[in-house]
Amino acid sequence: MIVGTKLYIPHVRNSLVPRPRLIRKLNEGMETKLTLVSAQAGYGKTTALSEWVKQCTALVAWVSLEKQDNDLIRFWSYITASIQERVPGYGQTIFPLLEKGPSVYWEPVITAVLNELHGLTNELVIILDDFHTIELSAIHDSCIYLIDHLPSHIHLYIVSRTDVVIPTARLLAKGELHRISMLDLQFQLDEGLVFFRDTTDLMLTNEQVTELFYQTEGWVSGLQLAAISLKRSDNITESIHQFSGQHHYISDYLLEEVLHHQPESLRAFLLETSILSRLNRSLCQAVTGQTNAQEQLEMLEQLNLFIIPLDDHRNWYRYHHLFSEFLERILSATDPEKWVQSHIRAAHWLEEQGFDEEAVEHFLEAKQYADVVRLIEKNLQTLMQSKSEALNRWVSVLPENSFAEKPMIEMFYISILLGVGEWEVAFRRVKLAELWFHALQEKLTEAEWSQVMGNIYFFCAVTSYLQKDLVGTSEYFELVERYMPAGSSFQTMGRNRYQGYDSFDDHLAVISDLHAADAFLVKWIRTWEKKKVYPFLGSLYASYSKLLYEWNRLEEAEFYVNQAMGRKDIVPFARIVIHITFSASRIQQAKGKPSRASELLSQLKLQIDSPDYELFMLKIEAEQACLSLQQGSLEYAQDWLQRCGMVHTDEVSLSRVAEHLIFARVLAESGRLEEALYLLERLDHLLWKEDRLRDRIKVLILQSLTMQRAGRTEAAIVQLETALQLAEPEGYIRSFIDEGPMMAEMLSAYLKVQQVSSRLRNPLLVSLTYVKQLLEALNIMPEEDLSLKEILTDQETKILRLIGTGLSNKEVAYDLNITGETVKSHIKNVYRKLRVSNRVQALQRAKELNIPE
């Protein structure tokens, strides 16, 4: 719901002091993209902008912000609505995106905003008042992007008490930033003289005004407060002398003077309504119980007591922030019970009027947590769709047990925490929720109980998975199967939205142990593949096909991709479809079918049906750029490089690892080697810190190739060896051989060096067998035969030796402290490497090759 009063340009009194210097300074902002008006409370920022707007020839869209606007959808809805007030028809492409609900990413909305702003023919000023109330980083990021791409005929004025989180130095250097500071806003002496002469009834001498001016340092509200106080003074000269110290020390004194001289009923009215961000007759009457609320509001305006009309009809008002903060501080300190009751009464009135979100804020202040939970539960579906940031903020400050008996609220909050990467907090809440929900069994029906437990066990599985515990994940999936065989609704929550992180869809990005992943994925694919409607299975198919691809088992990988692409239940879920299609395209390229590989990605663009279509397109186009390099088309990749919007100095994040890698690859292929290395170095540090093995191996490989191109051969070999050392235990193949001839040359050179070290009996970090295996996969035959002792890894040799003693798989697993499924995976690798199909053949082959027992 759009509150119209937030879009009104605040009313300006006729008795203002003319400020031509400040108006000229504000006019200068029309030559830049951004004007930042920054000063603490009481410097007349809003008043100055309101006065300036009266003489501005451009269209002006105004939004008065408040803390409830810390929500991406709400924030941009108000800005769009404000512009629409001045430009009928504006927002036609923006509102549909906003109405579809939240997404972690804001690019589609800002792209639509910019496109519509570009289409405007007239100059437009957008004023965002009280921007300091906005703390959400996603909003800050979206504003930075907006400013960077703002058309020249659009001017943004940001009004804030504090410096904003925007790279102002860069804008200033480019001549795109104009600053209005505290020094610009404070009165000059001549303006102070005019203020006391023309706007007050005080007959002060120039010397007295000068003394007041210097004591308040030209602070506008300080002079205004002094004038109100001096009207009641019996000794003006003595009162002026009492105003000592800096203005932030005298403000409370002056405000107390103002408040002390008001009638008792008006004082009570002021204190009790100070908790309101906006006021009208009905709301004030509900909060104070005074039936003459409208008269009180009008009296405050006549007395010039820091009250600001929000519309021309005098229906809505707000207090000056400095005044309301002072009053609320007094009320909470002197009568905390009345402070609480004022919040409760305001909340009930707002709820009755349909302003549930504002009602929640007041209930929270009053610690009426049951009412907060009640309103959240009442609006849960709406909040889940469009107010997730607000919901996250509310739930995070509620006591731990306040919604212990509201399982859906708790689980939604857990899903939000997981989605934004607050994993440690989510892990703790999952464990607590598991305990709480067990206690609900007697209060719920059997069906409700099964649903609750199935959902919470799914989250237990997710937390185990994110902690790389696949055994624990499997155990919890068994419980999900028991309680909810049709699956948890949270399994596919947001699957058609671009959430940024691939952690929940691309399992190999998280799991380092490929052999354990092999066993895990096979088990659950077999468990769920017979279910006709189980879209969660799609991400497992995608991950398993990627695993098989990495091991260069292309036919098997293609089989599982085809299984996934044949399921109708996966089609609506864009995030799953993308991973499956990317895998299919890579398989076709590896099988020597480049046309089919390209066709799959082109078709994918037509398949995506999501509110976040543009974000998915960025991901697909990056993949197309990578494929074009593999196919020898540098021109397409360089075109993508120019239009992708990325730079090598971007902050690296887990949400864009794939795009960062492709961007670095295209930079390197384009000869921009140092830029590529700068990006890769920071990416390597992030992936090492976050323990992301697969992607780190890919970064190390690309680093080694780029260093080789730069003539830094020794450093290139060091990076290659690190990559090989990390990759060998897991059997990585395609990550190396997809690099083609240059990788073949580097591996051949590395092999020769290692063979010399081997003859000298120096310890080797990477087995010669593994390097030769990669060269063979590249169709390069090493100069020497394989060293037979190095065909198998140490773990595979141990397992083969134990098999030779007659132990079962279960006994081998126990002896080596690994799972039975991992043993099976290793045995499959032994059979493949030795080209046999059973234990007897394996043992015989090992004897022939003289593999040590």
Side-chain angles (χ1 to χ4, degrees), residues 211-359:
E211 185 176 355
L212 273 176
F213 175 80
Y214 284 116
Q215 284 176 334
T216 59
E217 296 181 339
W219 180 44
V220 178
S221 289
L223 292 171
Q224 191 177 358
L225 284 164
I228 295 170
S229 178
L230 290 173
K231 283 182 181 179
R232 299 178 176 82
S233 174
D234 295 329
N235 189 332
I236 287 179
T237 301
E238 183 59 30
S239 295
I240 290 173
H241 289 322
Q242 288 176 359
F243 299 156
S244 59
Q246 304 296 319
H247 63 256
H248 53 274
Y249 293 123
I250 67 171
S251 61
D252 281 3
Y253 167 75
L254 292 170
L255 285 165
E256 285 171 15
E257 284 288 297
V258 170
L259 188 63
H260 178 73
H261 288 94
Q262 304 311 316
E264 177 59 36
S265 65
L266 189 58
R267 277 207 306 274
F269 182 88
L270 284 166
L271 291 169
E272 290 174 51
T273 57
S274 65
I275 56 102
L276 301 171
S277 59
R278 54 195 176 97
L279 315 88
N280 71 1
R281 177 194 58 79
S282 178
L283 177 54
C284 290
Q285 185 170 318
V287 170
T288 66
Q290 295 187 25
T291 56
N292 63 338
Q294 187 63 35
E295 293 175 22
Q296 298 280 44
L297 290 169
E298 291 172 3
M299 183 183 298
L300 290 174
E301 190 175 8
Q302 290 168 9
L303 293 171
N304 193 19
L305 273 184
F306 298 96
I307 189 168
I308 301 166
L310 294 178
D311 58 59
D312 293 335
H313 302 291
R314 301 300 199 273
N315 290 325
W316 286 93
Y317 298 83
R318 74 167 174 86
Y319 291 129
H320 188 292
H321 297 309
L322 186 75
F323 196 37
S324 62
E325 289 167 9
F326 165 77
L327 293 170
E328 188 173 1
R329 193 163 64 245
I330 294 292
L331 179 63
S332 61
T334 59
D335 196 340
E337 181 58 33
K338 184 164 285 186
W339 180 84
V340 168
Q341 287 304 314
S342 296
H343 275 294
I344 292 173
R345 290 169 185 157
H348 284 303
W349 185 92
L350 289 162
E351 183 182 357
E352 288 170 5
Q353 303 301 314
F355 299 111
D356 284 2
E357 190 175 342
E358 291 177 69

Side-chain angles (χ1 to χ4, degrees), residues 515 553 556 773 791-793 795-797 799-804 807-809 812 822-846 849 851:
H515 303 291
R553 291 157 59 179
E556 294 172 79
Q773 181 185 1
I791 289 176
L792 304 181
T793 65
Q795 187 77 321
E796 289 164 355
T797 302
I799 289 173
L800 187 60
R801 188 176 66 248
L802 291 171
I803 287 173
L807 295 182
S808 66
N809 286 1
V812 170
T822 301
V823 171
K824 289 180 184 178
S825 177
H826 281 303
I827 290 174
K828 280 200 296 185
N829 285 333
V830 170
Y831 289 175
R832 178 173 53 81
K833 290 179 179 181
L834 299 183
R835 297 183 177 87
V836 298
S837 58
N838 58 49
R839 289 187 175 208
V840 174
Q841 293 174 352
L843 294 170
Q844 180 61 35
R845 182 67 173 148
L849 296 176
I851 294 177

Side-chain angles (χ1 to χ4, degrees), residues 622 625-626 628-629 634 636-650 652 658-683 702 705-707 709-710:
C626 186
S628 74
L629 285 181
L634 180 58
Y636 179 90
Q638 287 180 325
D639 177 60
W640 170 80
L641 192 71
Q642 296 303 314
R643 57 186 167 80
C644 69
M646 300 172 68
V647 292
H648 74 285
T649 54
D650 283 341
V652 293
E659 288 93 328
H660 288 314
L661 264 168
I662 294 168
F663 188 74
R665 186 179 295 280
V666 180
L667 284 174
E669 291 283 352
S670 303
R672 297 161 63 177
L673 303 178
E674 293 308 317
E675 292 175 52
L677 288 171
Y678 178 72
L679 174 56
L680 289 168
E681 183 180 1
R682 292 181 297 120
L683 200 53
L702 188 51
L705 293 166
T706 308
M707 289 172 174
R709 280 194 176 95

Side-chain angles (χ1 to χ4, degrees), residues 448-711:
E448 290 172 336
W449 165 251
S450 294
Q451 183 184 41
V452 166
M453 296 313 295
N455 280 319
I456 195 58
Y457 285 137
F458 169 69
F459 281 117
C460 289
V462 170
T463 58
S464 294
Y465 155 71
L466 291 173
Q467 295 173 89
K468 304 179 187 292
D469 176 11
L470 291 183
V471 173
T473 305
S474 272
E475 289 172 354
Y476 281 118
F477 274 163
E478 298 280 5
L479 291 168
V480 174
E481 275 293 289
R482 182 195 308 174
Y483 287 99
M484 294 185 75
S488 164
S489 59
F490 288 100
Q491 284 178 320
T492 50
M493 180 179 171
R495 296 284 160 169
N496 201 35
R497 303 305 302 264
Y498 185 93
Q499 301 295 332
Y501 289 100
D502 279 336
S503 303
F504 304 106
D505 303 310
D506 184 7
H507 305 101
L508 303 186
V510 174
I511 303 302
S512 301
D513 186 343
L514 296 192
H515 303 291
D518 178 26
F520 172 83
L521 291 167
V522 168
K523 173 180 178 178
W524 289 104
I525 286 172
R526 289 176 179 168
T527 301
W528 292 329
E529 64 186 353
K530 295 181 179 65
K531 300 183 180 186
K532 290 185 177 179
V533 181
Y534 209 85
F536 182 64
L537 177 62
S539 60
L540 272 66
Y541 274 133
S543 292
Y544 194 48
S545 69
K546 291 177 186 177
L547 173 56
L548 293 168
Y549 175 85
E550 185 59 57
W551 283 345
N552 206 23
R553 291 157 59 179
L554 301 181
E555 297 300 330
E556 294 172 79
E558 186 175 27
F559 170 80
Y560 283 99
V561 157
N562 290 339
Q563 290 289 101
M565 296 177 89
R567 289 186 66 103
K568 294 180 180 178
D569 57 336
I570 293 170
V571 173
F573 297 93
R575 283 170 59 193
I576 300 175
V577 170
I578 275 190
H579 281 285
I580 291 168
T581 308
F582 281 8
S583 184
S585 173
R586 292 166 192 170
I587 291 166
Q588 293 305 310
Q589 177 65 22
K591 292 184 71 177
K593 299 177 181 178
S595 296
R596 179 57 180 155
S598 299
E599 183 184 13
L600 283 165
L601 295 182
S602 297
Q603 290 174 345
L604 178 60
K605 286 184 169 183
L606 303 175
Q607 288 177 257
I608 300 299
D609 181 15
S610 166
D612 299 329
Y613 177 84
E614 290 86 355
L615 292 174
F616 284 122
M617 288 306 103
L618 294 176
K619 205 172 186 71
I620 296 169
E621 287 175 3
E623 183 72 13
Q624 286 180 309
C626 186
L627 180 62
S628 74
L629 285 181
Q630 287 185 297
Q631 296 178 354
S633 175
L634 180 58
E635 184 179 352
Y636 179 90
Q638 287 180 325
D639 177 60
W640 170 80
L641 192 71
Q642 296 303 314
R643 57 186 167 80
C644 69
M646 300 172 68
V647 292
H648 74 285
T649 54
D650 283 341
E651 183 179 351
V652 293
S653 66
L654 291 177
S655 63
R656 302 196 73 184
V657 168
E659 288 93 328
H660 288 314
L661 264 168
I662 294 168
F663 188 74
R665 186 179 295 280
V666 180
L667 284 174
E669 291 283 352
S670 303
R672 297 161 63 177
L673 303 178
E674 293 308 317
E675 292 175 52
L677 288 171
Y678 178 72
L679 174 56
L680 289 168
E681 183 180 1
R682 292 181 297 120
L683 200 53
D684 179 44
H685 179 74
L686 171 69
L687 295 169
W688 169 79
K689 177 183 169 186
E690 298 292 337
D691 190 21
R692 298 301 180 91
L693 180 65
R694 181 199 66 185
D695 293 331
R696 185 167 181 234
I697 289 170
K698 291 180 183 294
V699 168
L700 288 166
I701 290 170
L702 188 51
Q703 275 183 315
S704 70
L705 293 166
T706 308
M707 289 172 174
Q708 182 75 1
R709 280 194 176 95

Side-chain angles (χ1 to χ4, degrees), residues 728 751 755 758 764 766-773 785-794 796-797 833 849-852:
E728 182 179 7
L751 179 62
Q755 286 171 334
S758 177
L764 300 179
V766 181
S767 74
L768 299 180
T769 302
Y770 181 52
V771 181
K772 292 175 182 177
Q773 181 185 1
D785 290 336
L786 287 174
S787 174
L788 299 179
K789 295 181 180 180
E790 294 172 336
I791 289 176
L792 304 181
T793 65
D794 288 343
E796 289 164 355
T797 302
K833 290 179 179 181
L849 296 176
N850 198 27
I851 294 177

